[in-house]
Amino acid sequence: MTTGLIPGAQPPEPRPTSARPPHQRSEPDHGAAQHVDDRPRSFVITARAAASFEPVGRSVATARSFVRDTLQGWGFADIVDDAVVLTSELVTNAVVHAGTHADVLCLRTENGVRIEVSDRYPEREIPVQSAAVTMGSPDREGGRGLQLCAALAGRWGVEYSPTHKNVWFQLDLPARPVGTRTAGPALPAELLPVADGRIRVAVVQIDRGGAISTWNEDAEELFGYAADQVTGKPLTDLAAWPQTPGTSTGIAEALRLSRWEGSYGIRCADGRVTPVYASHLRIRDTSGEPSTICLLVRDHERAVLQTPSRAPATDTATSADGQSNDPFDAFIGSPAPDDLDGLLQRTVERARDMLDGDSAFLLLATDDETELEVRASTGLPSARQRFARVPVEAGPGRYGSARMPAVHEDLTAVPGAVPLLNGTGMRSVVTVPLKVEGRLTGSLGVAAEAPGRYSNEEALRLQFAADRIALAVESARLGELERLRRGSLSFLVEASDLLAGTLDRDQTLALMAQMTVPTLATWCAVYTIADQASEPYLSYVLHEDEELIDGIKSLLSKIAPPDPVPTPGARVWTTPGETAHQAALRSSMRSLGLTGGPIRQIASGMGPTLAVASALGGETVVLPLVARNRVIGMLTLGKPTDEHFRQEILELAEDLSRRAALALDNARLYSERTAISQSLQRSLLPPELPHIDGVEVEVIYRAAGEGNEVGGDFYDLFPISDGAYGFAIGDVCGTGPNAAAVTGLARHALRLLAREGLSGPAVLERLNSAILDEGARSRFLTLLYGEMRPQEDGSAELKVVCAGHPLPLRLRQDGTVEAAAEPQPLLGVMEDLELYEQTVTLDPGDVLLCVTDGVTERREGTRMLGDDGLADVLTTCTGLTAGAVAARIMRAVERFASDAPSDDMAILAMRVPEPHKD
């Protein structure tokens, strides 16, 4: 259901129509009078409320509640029941029989209400009423809604459009003033109220269970039921009670009050509702059982029972020139505060002064009207109460409901009746609701230390004041709420950006705490849960005073963590505050020597404990950190002593906790996958290089990409047998994990095949077949493979096969550089390869440099290092060790371009050292 309420709106624009004029049904002249509104719509619409209902059965009950709530909020209690009956029938026709959405529009005028029910089935016909108008059986469905309109509405009609059928009816208010309470002087006889020949006062007694136990003769005459027909039945079965919007408060609650007076209706035996004025008095019978005596008269005879009241002296104020001032200004004063807190504080102070009370308080309702939040008070410990919450609906020990005015003459007779006043010394209290368009927006109360200070007269005066300021308070509250929501949105956007900017777990925890302190809370603690079998672990603690962090962390580590409940929303956790207070008490007693130990100075060891107790002494709430349907931790927020969280802050913290939970879980997943990836990648790298007598070997390896330790380039150096060593440097097409998979295959296959005694070409041919066997996962591979045997004369003999790889370069002692092999086909492309090996001898002082194409293809714009550039760098390395040669080559490659390398790079340098001279 969607609704909209527009107070003070202008008359609606005419509905769109087809080429033909809207069709209206009117009764033939020979039938009962049926009124059709054929006059122009010139009445003034003062408010409207609209709702749309889905084509499901439950929408009928929802529509009834919507109309009842709307009309009751407008003060139209006298016509509520007729409007609800008619709306129920028309909405049933739309959503049940026609199967379309139903649109309900309520229009308030100065004299009554007009209700329109539209459906989206325009081709249906309406029944033509015959001369003899009869409702027939109540079980008959066809046309009953329109017949009821004819019977109950002052005017009604039907309008057609190409897309809608609109049935409307209008109910007029009775001419009498409803609910007026007044007392007047003696009047002449001709001016006295007119009543029937005999005034009948129904006396109905209700037992403690709400059932009728006594039903006198006047009740039988007024309502048509014999006593034996109703005895034992609940009065709620007969009462047509005007419901307050959004609440179940009704006559059952009113019957439990000590005294109540007002109007409602009684459904008579003939089905009609008779408006009555009632006076209820709660008594105890001779056996001590509570019961309620109800005196009922017809509503127009209310003067018989109505209690006269004096007009409030402060309702209006008159200026010196005789002009009446605004009642709101008369109560609040002019100019009125322009901020919500100032307006609320001025309100409670004026209310206290108006009723000569000792204290006053004002509570604002939450959006769902289930709780009231303390926002202003005077004469009460405001620091302890501010932002505290109490339920709107309470047990019978309270005053029934915050939606009704209530007076407590002595709170000691009903302990806990008004939770806000517990322990304050207040004995009597009067509370009244703040309502806007029938919706509960708050509660205003005045209390006194003496019992019996307030009666219904003071309740009426306070209610009048509450009615004057309710709209201003609600407007200011909505303005504050809008500002808070804009700030909350900005806060969440910034928080999301910060949390999305890191995948480090520890940094995410720190950001979570730093964003909540001090913006949302005074201190914060984050608990994490590794897995479902693990207990919550205290991972991070932050307080706006850094000196208290260690004390809070120490105290929290000694108590059991909160339960990891996945239920969303904040829940109060009392353990930290209780534990802190107990620790402070024990510390104080030890300091005073009250535990049997030696007397110590009060200052020694006592200060930090008391400071921690004060920091944790306020309200503490826990919000679950739920990510991917699993509780991964808890976010704990706390306030110092006697402070409470506002609902808006808790809602903002809940939004933040959802974002933080996802960020924390993403960081966890990233850390786990990074650890797995690095472990797998390290398994692809060769172990430590073997020591080769008579040959220096150095390797430098750089994998492209963040977090990659192994890419498509690889190297290896391993012993074969009989003093021979195999070495290899290769490049798999591509980079990253996919290329690394082929890297692992190539490196392990080389070791296995070489140790089988195969020659270099045979090793590479078999490796080529293995790569091709990978199918779609295969990648072509360039590879330089060789076998090295140190010689007794100090040289080293190398047998080399260069399969599509950059040629190895040989640096001689005289500084000349030359290629040490010839190019041959690469691996992983063709099945049949004819490879051959070449023999190279490294004399003492010679260097063999092997690199991958990530070195030679290093670019800066259109420039590329290339083979010639690499050879130029190598010529400068004469006389350097293998390690120095590799380092100089890598340094030259890095300096060649300013950008980070985009390709994997591997450098293998082998040098035969010169013999030492004596």
Side-chain angles (χ1 to χ4, degrees), residues 569-628:
R571 52 192 173 94
V572 177
W573 186 30
T574 59
T575 305
E578 295 172 354
T579 304
H581 291 156
Q582 293 172 2
L585 179 60
R586 289 193 299 268
S587 177
S588 300
M589 294 179 66
R590 286 195 303 267
S591 300
L592 297 173
L594 301 178
T595 58
I599 299 178
R600 303 176 182 177
Q601 295 294 329
I602 295 180
S604 63
M606 181 178 176
T609 302
L610 293 179
V612 171
S614 177
L616 300 183
E619 190 174 54
T620 302
V621 297
V622 178
L623 297 105
L625 297 175
V626 181
R628 299 174 176 89

Side-chain angles (χ1 to χ4, degrees), residues 22 34 73 86 155 172 187 221 265 268 299 322 371 376 380 401 405 425 451 487 490 521 665 687 695 700 855 903 917:
Q34 173 182 331
L86 295 178
R155 289 180 294 278
D172 296 327
L187 296 175
E221 186 68 25
C268 300
D299 195 56
E371 289 184 309
L380 296 175
S401 172
S490 176
D665 199 48
V695 178
I700 296 179
V855 174
D903 195 4
K917 298 179 181 180

Side-chain angles (χ1 to χ4, degrees), residues 559-688:
I559 63 178
D563 296 330
V565 178
T567 305
R571 52 192 173 94
V572 177
W573 186 30
T574 59
T575 305
E578 295 172 354
T579 304
H581 291 156
Q582 293 172 2
L585 179 60
R586 289 193 299 268
S587 177
S588 300
M589 294 179 66
R590 286 195 303 267
S591 300
L592 297 173
L594 301 178
T595 58
I599 299 178
R600 303 176 182 177
Q601 295 294 329
I602 295 180
S604 63
M606 181 178 176
T609 302
L610 293 179
V612 171
S614 177
L616 300 183
E619 190 174 54
T620 302
V621 297
V622 178
L623 297 105
L625 297 175
V626 181
R628 299 174 176 89
N629 298 320
R630 187 175 72 88
V631 181
I632 63 171
M634 285 86 70
L635 178 63
T636 303
L637 307 179
K639 287 281 189 179
T641 303
D642 294 337
E643 288 194 23
H644 299 270
F645 285 98
R646 294 186 59 176
Q647 179 63 20
E648 294 83 0
I649 296 298
L650 294 180
E651 292 173 355
L652 182 58
E654 186 177 356
D655 286 338
L656 176 63
S657 69
R658 287 194 291 266
R659 290 164 170 79
L662 188 59
L664 184 61
D665 199 48
N666 288 339
R668 177 188 63 82
L669 292 174
Y670 178 78
S671 299
E672 291 178 356
R673 293 181 181 182
T674 299
I676 294 172
S677 175
Q678 290 175 346
S679 177
L680 292 175
Q681 290 184 68
R682 281 192 292 269
S683 69
L684 300 178
L685 294 175
E688 294 182 0

